[in-house]
Amino acid sequence: MLQKILEAAEFLSAKISSPPKVGLITGTGLGDLTRNVEVHARIPYSEIPHFPVSTTVGHKGTMVFGRLGKKALMAMEGRFHVYEGYTPEEVAFPVRVMARLGVEYLLISSAAGGLNPLFQPGEVMAVTDHINLTGRNPLLGPNLEPFGPRFPDMSKAYDPALVELAKQKALDLGISLKQGVYVGILGPSLETPAETRFLRMAGADAVGMSTVLEVIAAVHCGLRVLAVVAITNVNIPERMKAVSIEEVIAVAEKAGNKLAPLLEEVISSLMVS
Ligand code: HPA
């Protein structure tokens, strides 16, 4: 695994002039968040050695290098999910490549279902903490010592200073930014009413099929993480409605109009060049 990460990083570093300090992962319907990036290179995942290839509808499958808000950035347009058949290690692979290339801050966006009854579809939520209910972990197996410790601390997985920064920027932009706990499930089936009630009782405000494994890998290798989710639907156990992927993508795209300026402002304020 270590060798594969190093080879992918080496391949990419030969294609770029300045090492990225900020990493961005965009989720379902949110690939457009990179529209304002001053692009220096755009590399299909299929060209990067050992990189998994994206299969989900609404995901592009390219790595973008460039600048946003004057910061050197690399952005994944499209990500890997365990429900597609990728292993947790594959899901975490790009995060580790980012860390190897010099990324210090990882910003993650995804679509999620709301569990908090006060949420509305189309709202955005900063993740303050997570519950990993995927039953998987990217750190299983021998520890990658050069990347991080065997038992990484998760007491501040979602950097509180970055949540504060996002709150401040949301206020400046006039965007209502919710905060809450994200529960990661395996998918791809959506939740039953009983599961929805269970997840809510467990303390989660939003549920999705991504983010948690990437965040575990990111924290392991010392990245500072900010995750923001687009609430595409709100699930209330007593009156569950069918969730359609078309609707999830459409609402995520709309929420992207709020997420893009928010992330841009946050990136501009990071203490990196
Ligand atoms: N459940 C799980 N993942 C999701 C949902 C949902 O309701 N909406 C968007 N991603």
Side-chain angles (χ1 to χ4, degrees), residues 111-114 185 190-191 207-209 232-233 235 243 248:
I185 56 152
L190 289 141
E191 300 74 55
V207 53
M209 303 172 192
T232 55
N233 51 286
N235 304 333
V243 179
V248 165

Side-chain angles (χ1 to χ4, degrees), residues 2 17 27 58 61 79 90 99 113-114 117 124 142 144 154-155 159-160 212 222 224 228 244:
L2 191 57
S17 46
R79 51 139 66 101
E90 286 175 314
V124 288
L144 294 180
M154 293 291 286
S155 63
D159 196 296
V212 292
R224 296 179 65 180
V228 281
S244 79

Side-chain angles (χ1 to χ4, degrees), residues 99-212:
R100 176 72 193 172
L101 284 171
V103 164
E104 294 172 23
Y105 291 93
L106 179 62
L107 276 50
I108 301 183
S109 70
S110 64
L115 297 168
N116 186 326
L118 300 177
F119 288 179
Q120 303 282 342
E123 283 190 315
V124 288
M125 181 190 98
V127 179
T128 52
D129 204 349
H130 81 210
I131 302 172
N132 176 15
L133 275 194
T134 65
R136 310 292 158 94
N137 196 302
L139 309 181
L140 288 176
N143 184 45
L144 294 180
E145 284 299 326
F147 280 78
R150 172 75 287 189
F151 301 106
D153 176 58
M154 293 291 286
S155 63
K156 287 193 183 128
Y158 297 82
D159 196 296
L162 293 180
V163 172
E164 273 312 306
L165 179 61
K167 273 167 67 180
Q168 191 54 53
K169 295 299 176 189
L171 209 58
D172 294 348
L173 291 164
I175 295 168
S176 146
L177 181 67
K178 305 289 184 192
Q179 286 180 72
V181 173
Y182 176 100
V183 59
I185 56 152
L186 199 53
S189 50
L190 289 141
E191 300 74 55
T192 64
E195 286 166 345
T196 301
R197 189 176 297 111
F198 167 76
L199 296 175
R200 180 65 190 145
M201 284 185 342
D205 297 287
V207 53
M209 303 172 192
S210 64
T211 305
V212 292

